[in-house]
Amino acid sequence: MEKNYILAKWLNNDLTEEELTAFKADPDFKKYEKIKNYSAQLKVADFDEDKVLETVISHKNTTPKVIPLYKNWMFRVAAILVIGLGITFTVQNFSTETQYALNGKRTSFSLPDNSEVVLNSGSEIKYKKLNWGNNRNLKLQGEAYFKVAKGKKFEVETHLGKVAVLGTQFNVKARKNRFDVTCFEGRVKVNYKDKEIILSHGQSVIFENGKQTITTNNAPKPDWLQNRIAFDNENLRNILDEIQRQYNITIDVKIKCPDALFTGKIPTDNLDVALQIIATTYNLEPKKIGANKIIFEGK
């Protein structure tokens, strides 16, 4: 308000020398001066008293509305601010939010309803913030552990299937053609193609190549959150894929992959131990080629 008052006085040439000096130091003074100079160049028609009187009489009930130049300038600034805020709101709420964990990393974050998510290595989640409380839906690539706040239906979509809950703790893994879901608290509904299964606390379901397997799991949380990977009758190729993802390395096998299946746990925080377990199980010899490449050869 103070600045508007000074601007009005300046336009009327009513500023004191001290006020004028201070006003000229204003960063916007040059803009105001240009507007004033331009306005001074505008030509106004000769004043006709009779015509003005006639106009006043014919419009005696009309009150003219005068918008001072400085107010017009303020309206422009306000309009720009409103447009800017509108664009910001649109980008923040209508755009898709993406969270991801690179190979060798994990990412923990909270959703708008304070549901907690931990992404395993090489995984990604996408969701929209807008109206999240009424549409708790997200898309997952890879593996994630969820601790869902109570509320309306919460859905996790993957390229293999869908999981729906109201408030619980569960793990979802969708990689290649394998879809794993484990319920750690409450109940979850799993949809896989034309099948629908309800899992309760301590139950897991695995879908792979059209085959369905239900198992029990009494662990309080996923093994990968405790720095180990659990495998159950898993082939070597899938095991190596997971090790590469967890340690952000590349592994080559110079012989034909053995057909034997592996059941056990491999650490995700000690590469040497992980490689030794594989080498011992499959009678292979690991060799490190640089910092991020491993080669397995036959003994």
Side-chain angles (χ1 to χ4, degrees):
M1 292 298 293
E2 177 66 22
K3 188 172 183 178
N4 295 340
Y5 172 72
I6 295 297
L7 181 58
K9 288 184 65 177
W10 175 71
L11 290 172
N12 290 323
N13 298 315
D14 290 336
L15 289 178
T16 64
E17 289 187 8
E18 185 179 351
E19 289 174 331
L20 181 59
T21 300
F23 185 62
K24 286 183 177 180
D26 191 298
D28 294 327
F29 175 74
K30 290 185 178 180
K31 295 179 183 178
Y32 300 141
E33 191 173 36
K34 286 182 180 179
I35 295 172
K36 184 178 181 181
N37 292 336
Y38 177 77
S39 301
Q41 296 174 11
L42 297 177
K43 293 184 179 180
V44 181
D46 293 336
F47 184 70
D48 188 335
E49 294 182 1
D50 294 336
K51 189 171 182 179
V52 170
L53 180 60
E54 181 182 346
T55 302
V56 171
I57 294 174
S58 62
H59 297 84
K60 60 182 180 180
N61 293 325
T62 303
T63 302
K65 185 176 182 181
V66 179
I67 301 178
L69 183 61
Y70 72 89
K71 286 189 176 181
N72 189 42
W73 178 261
M74 290 177 62
F75 291 155
R76 283 188 175 184
V77 174
I80 292 172
L81 290 175
V82 169
I83 293 172
L85 290 173
I87 293 173
T88 301
F89 176 82
T90 301
V91 170
Q92 291 181 345
N93 291 278
F94 285 86
S95 60
T96 299
E97 185 80 11
T98 302
Q99 296 281 353
Y100 56 89
L102 299 176
N103 286 348
K105 303 290 183 180
R106 293 177 189 165
T107 299
S108 300
F109 64 96
S110 296
L111 294 166
D113 60 352
N114 291 321
S115 293
E116 300 173 12
V117 183
V118 184
L119 274 175
N120 202 351
S121 301
S123 302
E124 178 184 278
I125 275 180
K126 291 184 177 182
Y127 67 95
K128 290 186 177 180
K129 291 182 178 179
L130 184 67
N131 196 32
W132 173 259
N134 295 315
N135 185 28
R136 302 197 299 175
N137 178 280
L138 55 81
K139 294 183 179 180
L140 168 68
Q141 293 182 8
E143 184 172 14
Y145 173 73
F146 298 88
K147 187 175 182 180
V148 180
K150 293 188 180 300
K152 294 190 176 182
K153 183 170 66 174
F154 185 103
E155 288 188 333
V156 178
E157 294 184 24
T158 75
H159 70 287
L160 293 174
K162 182 187 299 184
V163 180
V165 300
L166 293 178
T168 185
Q169 297 181 40
F170 63 101
N171 192 82
V172 181
K173 180 178 181 179
R175 298 200 189 276
K176 295 184 177 180
N177 61 344
R178 178 163 173 161
F179 184 40
D180 295 20
V181 181
T182 301
C183 179
F184 292 94
E185 182 182 285
R187 303 174 73 201
V188 299
K189 180 173 69 174
V190 182
N191 290 97
Y192 176 79
K193 296 184 177 180
D194 58 343
K195 297 180 180 179
E196 181 176 295
I197 295 174
I198 303 296
L199 297 180
S200 298
H201 167 71
Q203 289 186 313
S204 299
V205 64
I206 300 171
F207 296 99
E208 187 173 19
N209 299 324
K211 182 181 178 181
Q212 171 188 316
T213 304
I214 295 181
T215 61
T216 57
N217 188 331
N218 295 319
K221 56 184 177 180
D223 282 296
W224 62 269
L225 287 179
Q226 302 176 66
N227 297 318
R228 55 180 181 255
I229 321 167
F231 297 102
D232 184 18
N233 290 321
E234 191 63 82
N235 64 65
L236 179 59
R237 187 69 266 170
N238 287 343
I239 295 171
L240 295 181
D241 284 346
E242 192 62 43
I243 292 176
Q244 290 180 109
R245 190 177 297 114
Q246 294 295 328
Y247 288 99
N248 192 25
I249 59 175
T250 300
I251 299 177
D252 288 334
V253 180
K254 294 301 183 180
I255 63 172
K256 181 181 178 181
C257 284
D259 295 328
L261 300 179
F262 173 81
T263 296
K265 297 181 180 181
I266 294 178
T268 60
D269 56 357
N270 191 320
L271 179 58
D272 291 334
V273 172
L275 296 177
Q276 192 57 49
I277 291 174
I278 298 300
T280 302
T281 301
Y282 290 96
N283 196 32
L284 299 172
E285 185 69 34
K287 292 184 178 181
K288 291 186 177 181
I289 309 297
N292 299 310
K293 186 171 182 177
I294 308 295
I295 292 178
F296 275 115
E297 297 178 340
K299 286 185 176 181

